[in-house]
Amino acid sequence: AGFAVTRSGDSVSVDPVNCSVVRMLRDDDPLVEERQQQLRRRRQRIGEYPRSYPIEDVVSNWPPNTITVPPRHFASLCRFDFSDARQRADADRLRRRELPFVVHNVPAADATAAKWSTPGVLAKILSKSKRYRAERSDDNHFMYYASPGTGGSLRSGRPRGWKPPTSDVAMTFPEWLDHARQSYNATVLDPHYYFRVSPPDVQPEDVPLFERPRRDEPPSLFVVDAAASKGVHCRFGAAGIVAEAHYDGSRNFVAELGGPPDHPNSGRRRYVLADPYECDHAYLLPRGHPSGRHSAVDWSRPVDLDKYPDFPKLRVFETILEPGDVLYIPHFWIHYIVSLGTNYQCNSRSGRNTVGTDALKMCGFL
């Protein structure tokens, strides 16, 4: 037990985080059934992992459009030292129970973060002249949407008056980095750019953390279902960028892999998370909407309680990722992301689970 402190030492959790309970979990305990029951009871229980808090407490303490880290934040995730065999086993126990956590001191992640944070290295790896897909928003908020022809999300058509929240632009890495540098002096109403590198331009060997283990190697904590892996996808964020709350369609390991050393808050992101049974309070856009599975509520602004009366019931928690940190986001867990500075992040999804499926069905999905 103890208070979670950011690796930079600038913020402490409001509550002590007790990760010793993880070792009380027996390896032969039922997994999926146990988690389903625990999550269903979450709203009536106090102190279970991870501890959650009213959304209004979290965003009033730290407004989402603010990149300055407050002295205290609502952190309740276990942080495990990957170099410690006992703590690796603890992380694996939580992973098999489909619970989120953070690991640090991961050699493969630390090596990539150190390499990519070295000035000039990424420009060489990505080529100074090659143009990549980037997303442009008229403000600092980004919401994914399904384009025509991408399948199920658009089966019901676009709502009347709907417009794409972002547009795609082609941009070199140095061009994006220049925009990222300028973002520190931008307002939330200025254009922002989210840089993307996806297969085939990035492969697991470029981010060894996500390489599939060989047959003679032990299973990887970070590649849960190698056969269902969707490869490595990287998104580079600039200070102040907000990725709106949503859930993903598969398990997700997220690695924070550094940033330019001369940029403030370099390599840091804030994640605000909620379990699947909070989907009704999050007001997720429905199936058939281009941005289905994303929250219809702007968490950074005063909420229209006539339109979203149950939003104050939403319970969340948060964590701050720093270079080399790896976050596990289980299937269906809602997450809201704020770039605190210029940062390089890559993730790998691998397979699905059934924990939370009844919640998503209740909310009109699946």
Side-chain angles (χ1 to χ4, degrees):
F3 287 88
V5 181
T6 59
R7 287 171 59 188
S8 297
D10 54 359
S11 187
V12 65
S13 60
V14 298
D15 280 331
V17 179
N18 185 4
C19 295
S20 62
V21 296
V22 176
R23 295 186 185 132
M24 297 171 61
L25 300 174
R26 290 172 43 191
D27 289 340
D28 59 349
D29 281 345
L31 304 180
V32 171
E33 296 81 1
E34 171 192 328
R35 287 300 302 138
Q36 295 277 26
Q37 293 172 9
Q38 287 181 357
L39 287 173
R40 289 191 194 102
R41 294 194 298 264
R42 174 174 295 282
R43 292 171 188 170
Q44 287 77 43
R45 296 178 63 181
I46 298 174
E48 68 177 23
Y49 178 86
R51 190 170 301 164
S52 59
Y53 310 88
I55 180 67
E56 292 182 331
D57 290 354
V58 175
V59 299
S60 62
N61 176 68
W62 189 359
N65 283 332
T66 302
I67 63 173
T68 301
V69 180
R72 300 198 311 161
H73 65 294
F74 289 82
S76 63
L77 285 187
C78 290
R79 292 181 55 88
F80 298 114
D81 185 340
F82 191 76
S83 66
D84 184 310
R86 192 176 185 186
Q87 293 191 43
R88 283 200 308 274
D90 290 342
D92 187 59
R93 287 189 181 95
L94 290 185
R95 209 289 306 155
R96 287 184 290 111
R97 281 164 176 77
E98 301 300 346
L99 285 165
F101 58 86
V102 176
V103 288
H104 64 101
N105 277 346
V106 184
D110 288 341
T112 301
K115 180 179 179 181
W116 287 11
S117 298
T118 302
V121 169
L122 264 183
K124 183 176 181 180
I125 293 173
L126 298 176
S127 171
K128 293 183 178 180
S129 59
K130 182 177 174 64
R131 304 183 80 80
Y132 295 86
R133 174 188 172 189
E135 296 169 58
R136 180 190 185 278
S137 175
D138 289 338
D139 55 26
N140 66 319
H141 286 245
F142 289 74
M143 180 183 288
Y144 170 84
Y145 68 95
S147 301
T150 56
S153 300
L154 291 180
R155 282 180 296 186
S156 299
R158 297 182 174 184
R160 180 175 296 179
W162 177 87
K163 294 181 180 179
T166 62
S167 58
D168 289 344
V169 296
M171 185 176 291
T172 66
F173 174 72
E175 288 172 341
W176 173 81
L177 193 60
D178 186 55
H179 282 294
R181 186 176 293 106
Q182 297 174 31
S183 71
Y184 288 97
N185 296 316
T187 72
V188 296
L189 298 179
D190 289 326
H192 286 68
Y193 298 86
Y194 220 163
F195 192 77
R196 303 182 66 152
V197 185
S198 299
D201 294 310
V202 62
Q203 297 293 329
E205 54 264 30
D206 299 314
V207 187
L209 174 76
F210 296 130
E211 284 190 296
R212 298 183 183 186
R214 298 189 303 267
R215 290 184 178 181
D216 59 342
E217 293 180 328
S220 169
L221 175 67
F222 309 107
V223 183
V224 181
D225 183 352
S229 173
K230 296 182 179 294
V232 177
H233 296 262
C234 301
R235 300 189 70 146
F236 299 170
I241 280 180
V242 172
E244 302 289 10
H246 64 284
Y247 74 82
D248 293 325
S250 53
R251 301 182 183 96
N252 198 359
F253 269 101
V254 175
E256 190 58 53
L257 298 174
D262 59 334
H263 289 207
N265 264 344
S266 180
R268 304 181 86 190
R269 285 196 185 201
R270 174 193 184 192
Y271 273 76
V272 183
L273 298 99
D275 74 56
Y277 287 84
E278 294 291 337
C279 62
D280 54 342
H281 298 154
Y283 290 94
L284 300 180
L285 291 166
R287 295 179 66 182
H289 191 287
S291 294
R293 71 184 171 81
H294 286 68
S295 177
V297 184
D298 183 345
W299 293 14
S300 69
R301 298 178 181 175
V303 177
D304 183 346
L305 296 182
D306 290 331
K307 191 174 183 180
Y308 307 113
D310 287 336
F311 185 73
K313 298 178 183 178
L314 177 63
R315 297 187 66 86
V316 301
F317 55 93
E318 60 190 332
T319 189
I320 298 172
L321 297 188
E322 313 219 23
D325 284 349
V326 185
L327 167 67
Y328 180 54
I329 305 176
H331 192 197
F332 299 142
W333 282 63
I334 299 164
H335 48 288
Y336 179 90
I337 313 164
V338 182
S339 287
L340 302 178
T342 307
N343 66 89
Y344 313 139
Q345 178 191 280
C346 296
N347 72 288
S348 182
R349 301 178 187 173
S350 57
R352 301 183 176 192
N353 66 77
T354 59
V355 175
T357 53
D358 56 338
L360 270 294
K361 289 179 180 177
M362 174 186 69
C363 289
F365 296 90
L366 307 181

